[in-house]
Each structure stands twice: as structure tokens, then as C-alpha cells.
């Protein structure tokens, strides 16, 4: 009996595979569509996608296309093709603005891009798409039963992006000993993070490292550039102190500020002497003429 049952199952599978290949390769558009829906409903999403790819050109612009496009998006989602799923759900929202499935598709588009997002250190393209899509969903559907979940995902993605940009800025700073240009890159990167993400979870640390990068940049600068860069560093300290007067970084920051003030006094004396020397040389050159 067991052998008979196994033979029956194997026969059904072979028949099913044979039917699938026959319809896929030689079936009519209508037969391919019906089998695609059958495969979709039986959760055989990979085969469904191959059939939907076949019938899409014939159904474009027809009523069935709304259903086809949603099933294509959902099949890609279930097959873990998350970037493609996000793309197709997004297209569905654009193409069928009055559809009863528009809200579901909008949420799944955002969620697909989130699932497609790599770890924070990689390319953030899908992460940015997910953030924008969840922000749009939250604005468009404030009363949705998915709103709490959407807000949760939005906060998680926002944190991921902040962490990425903070780590990039910090890497510029930690490598500046090998390439002094990285001090400027670090300062700019910290400024971008602080302006793009107001109220960032990394704000205190970013302000500290922004000041620290400016402080260290002063020490690597020529005499002529130091006064200008000391001014920028002092302004960075004042911003840290204004926002976090009790910061755990304040003691270290005040020590750096004191060093900058001492350096400023020294450089001012040097620059005054240099200025006086240049004026003297100019007078001597004028007399020679």
C-alpha cells in the first residue's frame, strides 16, 4: 500500500510537471493565466511568476492586469525577491490608485524595501526607499490598522541610516592621521548627519567628534590657517556645550578648548610679528625702487 501511494504521488507530480511545461511553452494566453493563478493559489510562486511573465504583455491595459500585477508583487515577496517586490508593489499603487488593495500594496512596498535593506555598512539604496515609502504610508494612511507597525519600521530604518552615516563620519576621523584631508571630510559628514537627522540618537557623540575633528585639524594646519580653524572648532565646542552642558564628554572637551585658546594666543603673536615683518619688507622694497 505504501509503494502504491508513493507511485500515485509520483504520477501526480509528473503529470503536474508535464502539464505545467506544456502550458508554459505551448498553451494559450488564457490557459497560461489560469494555470498561473492556480500555481499562485497553491503557493508555487516560482512557477506562477514564469507564467505571469508570459501573459503580462497580453493583459496589459485589461481589467485582469490589476490582479496580475498584485500577484506578481506578492509572488516576488513570498519568493524573498524583496527589491523586486517593493518595485512591483510601488508600481501597483501608482497604476491602480482606486484599488481596494492600494493600502496593502503601499505597506508591502515599504516593508519589502526594508527586508531588502542590507546591514547598515552596505549600499543604503533600498534602506532609503523603505524610509521614504513608510513615511508616505504614515502620511497617507494615518488611521490604518498597520500604522503602529509602520511607525515601528520607520524608526528602526531611521536609526539604521543614522548609524551608517555616523560610522562613516567616525571612520573619516579615525583615518585622518594617515590622510589629513579626512579631517575636513569628517567635519562635513558630522555636519550632514546633524542637519539631516534633527534629534538624532547619535547627536551628543556626533557633536563631540565634530569638535574633536576640528580641534585635531587645527593642530595639523599651517600657521596661516590656524586662526580660522580655531574659530570653527570653538563654535563646535559651544554647540556641544549648549546642547549637552552635562555631557560625559565635557571634561575632555573643555581641556581641548583650553588648548585651543592657548594656541590661539600663540598664533596671534606669531601672525602679528609676521605681519610686521612683511610690512617692513614692503617699505624696504619701496625705498629701493
Amino acid at each position: 500500500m505504501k509503494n502504491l501511494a508513493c507511485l500515485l504521488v509520483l504520477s501526480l507530480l509528473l503529470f503536474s510537471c508535464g502539464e505545467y511545461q506544456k502550458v508554459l511553452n505551448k498553451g494559450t494566453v488564457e490557459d497560461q493565466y489560469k494555470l498561473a493563478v492556480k500555481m499562485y493559489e497553491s503557493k508555487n510562486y516560482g512557477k506562477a511568476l514564469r507564467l505571469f511573465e508570459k501573459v503580462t504583455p497580453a493583459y496589459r491595459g485589461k481589467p485582469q492586469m490589476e490582479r496580475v500585477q498584485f500577484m506578481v508583487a506578492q509572488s516576488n515577496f513570498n519568493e524573498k525577491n524583496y527589491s523586486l517586490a517593493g518595485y512591483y508593489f510601488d508600481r501597483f499603487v501608482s497604476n491602480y490608485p482606486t484599488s481596494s488593495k492600494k493600502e496593502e500594496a503601499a505597506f508591502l512596498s515599504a516593508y519589502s524595501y526594508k527586508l531588502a535593506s542590507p546591514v547598515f555598512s552596505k549600499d543604503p539604496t533600498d534602506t532609503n526607499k523603505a524610509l521614504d515609502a513608510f513615511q508616505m504610508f504614515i502620511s497617507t494612511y494615518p488611521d490604518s490598522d498597520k500604522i503602529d507597525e509602520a511607525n515601528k519600521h520607520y524608526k528602526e530604518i531611521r536609526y539604521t541610516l543614522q548609524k551608517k552615516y555616523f560610522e562613516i563620519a567616525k571612520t573619516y576621523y579615525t583615518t585622518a592621521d594617515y590622510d589629513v584631508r579626512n579631517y575636513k571630510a569628517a567635519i562635513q559628514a558630522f555636519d550632514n548627519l546633524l542637519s539631516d537627522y534633527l534629534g538624532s540618537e547619535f547627536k551628543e557623540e556626533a557633536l563631540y567628534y565634530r569638535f574633536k575633528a576640528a580641534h585635531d585639524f587645527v593642530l595639523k594646519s599651517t600657521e596661516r590657517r590656524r586662526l580660522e580653524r580655531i574659530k570653527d572648532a570653538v563654535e563646535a565646542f559651544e554647540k556641544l556645550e549648549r546642547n549637552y552642558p552635562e555631557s560625559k564628554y565635557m571634561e575632555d572637551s573643555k581641556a581641548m578648548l583650553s588648548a585651543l585658546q592657548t594656541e590661539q594666543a600663540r598664533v596671534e603673536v606669531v601672525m602679528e610679528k609676521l605681519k610686521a615683518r612683511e610690512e617692513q619688507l614692503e617699505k624696504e622694497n619701496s625705498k629701493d625702487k
Side-chain angles (χ1 to χ4, degrees):
M1 289 296 291
K2 285 184 178 179
N3 289 337
L4 184 61
C6 287
L7 284 170
L8 182 60
V9 171
L10 182 59
S11 297
L12 288 170
L13 286 172
L14 288 171
F15 175 76
S16 176
C17 289
E19 179 196 15
Y20 172 78
Q21 289 297 332
K22 181 180 177 182
V23 173
L24 178 68
N25 295 319
K26 297 181 180 179
T28 65
V29 171
E30 186 178 354
D31 288 339
Q32 290 172 340
Y33 174 74
K34 287 179 179 178
L35 186 57
V37 173
K38 181 181 176 181
M39 290 294 171
Y40 175 84
E41 290 176 345
S42 62
K43 300 183 180 180
N44 200 330
Y45 301 111
K47 288 185 176 180
L49 281 168
R50 291 185 69 190
L51 287 160
F52 282 132
E53 186 179 345
K54 286 270 190 177
V55 304
T56 292
Y59 283 105
R60 193 168 284 125
K62 295 182 179 179
Q64 294 95 328
M65 193 58 201
E66 179 179 342
R67 189 182 182 200
V68 169
Q69 194 164 341
F70 189 88
M71 287 189 288
V72 166
Q74 187 70 63
S75 294
N76 275 294
F77 182 87
N78 291 332
E79 286 289 286
K80 299 183 179 180
N81 303 324
Y82 295 124
S83 285
L84 277 174
Y87 169 75
Y88 282 117
F89 278 125
D90 189 38
R91 279 185 60 188
F92 181 89
V93 171
S94 299
N95 292 340
Y96 304 101
T98 61
S99 172
S100 60
K101 286 188 171 291
K102 181 185 175 185
E103 180 181 330
E104 181 183 359
F107 178 84
L108 286 171
S109 173
Y111 188 46
S112 296
Y113 283 129
K114 185 192 177 192
L115 293 175
S117 301
V119 294
F120 75 86
S121 59
K122 304 294 184 181
D123 180 3
T125 300
D126 283 326
T127 312
N128 284 319
K129 287 180 181 178
L131 189 72
D132 291 342
F134 273 120
Q135 192 170 36
M136 179 64 71
F137 181 86
I138 291 164
S139 299
T140 307
Y141 304 103
D143 300 321
S144 171
D145 59 2
K146 291 281 190 182
I147 197 67
D148 290 340
E149 189 177 350
N151 278 312
K152 174 177 169 288
H153 289 311
Y154 178 80
K155 289 175 182 176
E156 287 174 354
I157 296 164
R158 193 171 185 273
Y159 179 85
T160 297
L161 285 170
Q162 289 176 62
K163 183 174 177 62
K164 174 184 176 63
Y165 296 128
F166 175 78
E167 292 296 338
I168 288 172
K170 197 171 176 182
T171 298
Y172 278 129
Y173 171 71
T174 56
T175 57
D177 278 344
Y178 308 103
D179 187 346
V180 72
R181 293 172 298 179
N182 283 355
Y183 283 120
K184 289 184 76 172
I187 289 167
Q188 187 61 59
F190 283 122
D191 283 343
N192 290 343
L193 171 65
L194 292 164
S195 63
D196 291 345
Y197 295 95
L198 302 175
S200 168
E201 290 89 336
F202 296 92
K203 184 174 181 178
E204 180 181 356
E205 198 170 358
L207 285 169
Y208 167 70
Y209 275 102
R210 200 289 187 201
F211 169 52
K212 192 171 176 64
H215 165 273
D216 293 1
F217 193 31
V218 167
L219 302 183
K220 297 285 186 178
S221 301
T222 62
E223 297 283 356
R224 289 182 180 275
R225 303 301 297 272
R226 287 196 178 194
L227 287 179
E228 172 191 347
R229 290 172 181 170
I230 287 171
K231 180 182 177 183
D232 176 71
V234 170
E235 287 174 356
F237 169 82
E238 290 170 348
K239 192 170 182 180
L240 171 64
E241 185 180 43
R242 186 165 59 251
N243 283 274
Y244 299 98
E246 304 299 325
S247 172
K248 62 182 178 180
Y249 302 112
M250 193 51 65
E251 184 178 352
D252 184 40
S253 296
K254 285 183 176 178
M256 286 192 287
L257 176 67
S258 178
L260 286 173
Q261 290 169 335
T262 300
E263 180 64 9
Q264 181 176 2
R266 184 195 70 79
V267 174
E268 285 174 348
V269 170
V270 170
M271 295 308 294
E272 282 296 322
K273 289 180 178 179
L274 184 61
K275 183 180 178 182
R277 176 60 180 158
E278 288 174 347
E279 289 175 351
Q280 180 64 33
L281 287 172
E282 190 176 341
K283 286 180 181 178
E284 290 174 359
N285 290 335
S286 295
K287 287 180 181 179
D288 291 341
K289 289 178 182 179

